[in-house]
Structure formats: C-alpha cells, structure tokens
Amino acid sequence: INPNMKKQIIMILLLGLATIIQAQKVDSIKVEQSGDFIKIGYRIIDSKPGQIYRVKVLCSINGGLNTEINSISGDIGDNVQGGKPEYFVVWDVLRDIDALTSAEFIIRTELLKDIDAGKVSNKNIELTEKWSKKWVHAGPAIEFPGFKPGFTAGIMGSFGAVLSFRFGKYAIDEDIPLVMGSITLDEFLNDKKVIPSSYFLTKRIVSFDAFQLHLMAGFERTRLIFQNSDALDNPFIEDKLYGPALGITADYKWVAIQMQLCHIDPKAVEQGTNFRAISPLTFGTFALGVRF
C-alpha cells in the first residue's frame, strides 16, 4: 500500500466513526486502522453464552450501495457465539478495492439459536423418545361396504407389521342387474359370512413429541360373489381373491387411528368365462385403538 492510500484509509476511518449505522442489538462500534487493515469492534446487547448469531458487515464504498464485504474475518458469519464482552472483524481493504474516498459500515445481527429454545428442543426429544417406545397397536376395526366389524393389531416402531381381520355379510353392488335363475341371490347367500383379512408392512415417517405417522403397504384376502349370465340353475358362485392394500396410521399419545384401502381385481375369475363380480371391488377399513 502506498503512503497516499494509507492516508485515505485513515481519513475514511475518522469519517466512519461518525457515520456507522448501528443495527438492532449492536452498539459500542469502534473503527480503527491496523496497518493495511480496518478493524471494527462491536458489542451485541444482552447476548448470552449458548446463543448463536448470524453477523453480517455491509459497507457503502465511495457512496455506493450497501454490499457485503468479501475479504473480512473474525466474529462474522452464521456461528458467532453470544456472551462475549466485545467482538471484532478485520477487513483487508486492498484485496477488495484499489482506492477509497468514503465508506459507511453497517453491522447486522440475527439470532439463530437461543438457549431457551434449546431447552424446548431437548424436551421435544425426550417426549419423542418416550412415545416412540409405545409400539404395540390394537383396537376394533370396521370394513365398508358391508359393515364388517373386526379387530386390528400390530407392532409399529420405525418399521413394523399389522394384521387385521373382519367378519360379516357379503356386500353386493346394487348397480349391477342380477341374472335370474332357479335360485335367488338371497337363497344362495343364506346368511353366508365372509372373513376379510389384511396384512401390512409399515414405515414410520413422522415422529415428533407424542405424535407419530406410519405408512402401510400390503394386501387383503377376501371372497367375492360372482354371477354367470349363461347359467339356468344356480347363476352364483363365490371365490377367494387377493388385492393390493395401502393404509396410514396416526398416533397421538395413547390413541391410534388407522385407515386402510384395498382394491380387488376379479380378472382371475372373470377371464375366459361368463362370470362377473357383483360384489364391490374396493373396500375401506377404519380402526380406532390404542398404543402401549
């Protein structure tokens, strides 16, 4: 640096003492020359150990817009610890510009982490750990259509498994016209009962405080009623089928709410025959239980 440049910097520093703009929570700003560098001291009001601040130093160079300084070091950036009596940053002026005629400095601080917030976070972690151990789920379940009551139970940690059974009457799609034969549908059913069962693997996707959310994927095993349009005697049959199933379980403290949805593809029975399903092909199950 040449002597004239040093004189320019000294003049700017003297001006800077009167023109520094103080950001909120910052005071006692001091500017001084240290060789070829500008040293800026400041204090963060009421800062405490354990607090983390983001500190930015902006400068209006030669009357221009306020911009961040590149060649700067010290107490700056996103990891400035609170609680110090004084903070310092150093600017290597000549690495950024060739000459200065005027400069105004701005110091901005933003609180990123507070010690009190940390205590709340620790509390949340303790609650999450406590409730994540409540991994056995059980409760009554109901499948629609057909109103088939039953029971569901599972072990649901980070990964888990769920079994569900229902018991009730066959559901019939009322929009499908029935084929007339020597036996009516009511006579064929004659209080027949169906026992659908579902099998799932689960994955927990949310765990916060006492709340957890699990995704479920698996299959359902059930029986459907079919009719044969060419039959003159008994046009009805029943057959066992499987279908993919998805579900979701939401837990809050001791309460667990579960919803399942399954779709049955009857092509295995209908293809190459005159059979068609007169049972609904999509079933939903709702369960309300507890976890312990």
Side-chain angles (χ1 to χ4, degrees):
I1 184 170
N2 60 57
N4 292 332
M5 179 59 69
K6 287 185 178 180
K7 290 180 181 179
Q8 281 188 315
I9 293 176
I10 292 172
M11 290 178 60
I12 293 162
L13 292 175
L14 293 175
L15 290 172
L17 289 172
T19 58
I20 289 176
I21 302 173
Q22 296 183 13
Q24 186 180 4
K25 296 184 179 180
V26 175
D27 71 355
S28 302
I29 300 176
K30 301 176 183 178
V31 180
E32 61 184 33
Q33 179 186 358
S34 179
D36 298 340
F37 301 90
I38 292 179
K39 183 178 180 181
I40 305 172
Y42 65 94
R43 188 172 71 90
I44 302 177
I45 301 173
D46 296 328
S47 69
K48 301 175 183 178
Q51 293 178 325
I52 304 296
Y53 288 86
R54 174 184 290 130
V55 177
K56 294 182 179 181
V57 178
L58 293 84
C59 182
S60 173
I61 301 173
N62 300 331
L65 297 176
N66 292 321
T67 57
E68 287 192 60
I69 302 172
N70 295 324
S71 302
I72 195 167
S73 59
D75 296 314
I76 189 171
D78 294 344
N79 194 32
V80 178
Q81 302 284 334
K84 294 183 180 180
E86 193 169 9
Y87 298 84
F88 295 95
V89 293
V90 178
W91 180 26
D92 188 349
V93 180
L94 299 181
R95 291 189 61 181
D96 290 341
I97 57 176
D98 294 329
L100 280 174
T101 58
S102 65
E104 294 180 352
F105 297 94
I106 299 174
I107 298 178
R108 292 178 179 170
T109 62
E110 178 185 355
L111 181 61
L112 299 181
K113 180 179 180 181
D114 188 86
I115 189 170
D116 293 333
K119 291 179 180 178
V120 173
S121 178
N122 291 336
K123 182 179 179 182
N124 290 341
I125 292 172
E126 291 174 1
L127 284 172
T128 299
E129 290 178 348
K130 171 186 174 182
W131 286 103
S132 65
K133 296 177 182 178
K134 311 296 182 182
W135 52 294
V136 176
H137 298 63
I142 299 176
E143 182 178 87
F144 296 97
F147 191 76
K148 294 180 280 294
F151 187 81
T152 185
I155 298 176
M156 302 174 69
S158 177
F159 291 89
V162 171
L163 300 179
S164 180
F165 297 89
R166 282 83 65 199
F167 179 85
K169 295 182 179 180
Y170 279 94
I172 301 300
D173 191 338
E174 296 179 355
D175 294 331
I176 296 179
L178 297 180
V179 173
M180 300 302 295
S182 61
I183 183 173
T184 66
L185 179 61
D186 289 337
E187 291 173 334
F188 173 78
L189 291 176
N190 191 24
D191 293 328
K192 289 180 181 290
K193 298 294 190 296
V194 61
I195 307 176
S197 56
S198 303
Y199 308 85
F200 292 96
L201 295 177
T202 70
K203 176 66 177 78
R204 185 172 60 206
I205 58 172
V206 176
S207 182
F208 181 75
D209 289 1
F211 176 78
Q212 294 185 15
L213 190 66
H214 308 259
L215 290 182
M216 305 163 53
F219 65 93
E220 178 167 326
R221 175 183 180 275
T222 190
R223 300 181 74 87
L224 299 184
I225 300 295
F226 294 81
Q227 65 173 346
N228 184 355
S229 59
D230 292 338
L232 298 177
D233 186 14
N234 180 5
F236 306 109
I237 67 166
E238 58 179 328
D239 208 336
K240 177 176 66 177
L241 292 175
Y242 297 84
L246 296 174
I248 190 169
T249 299
D251 305 331
Y252 182 71
K253 293 187 176 180
W254 300 102
V255 179
I257 299 175
Q258 186 177 109
M259 290 175 286
Q260 306 173 16
L261 187 66
C262 170
H263 180 75
I264 305 296
D265 185 355
K267 287 183 180 178
V269 175
E270 294 177 335
Q271 193 168 7
T273 71
N274 293 319
F275 293 124
R276 66 169 176 172
I278 59 174
S279 294
L281 303 180
T282 301
F283 298 90
T285 300
F286 176 80
L288 179 63
V290 297
R291 62 169 168 164
F292 54 91

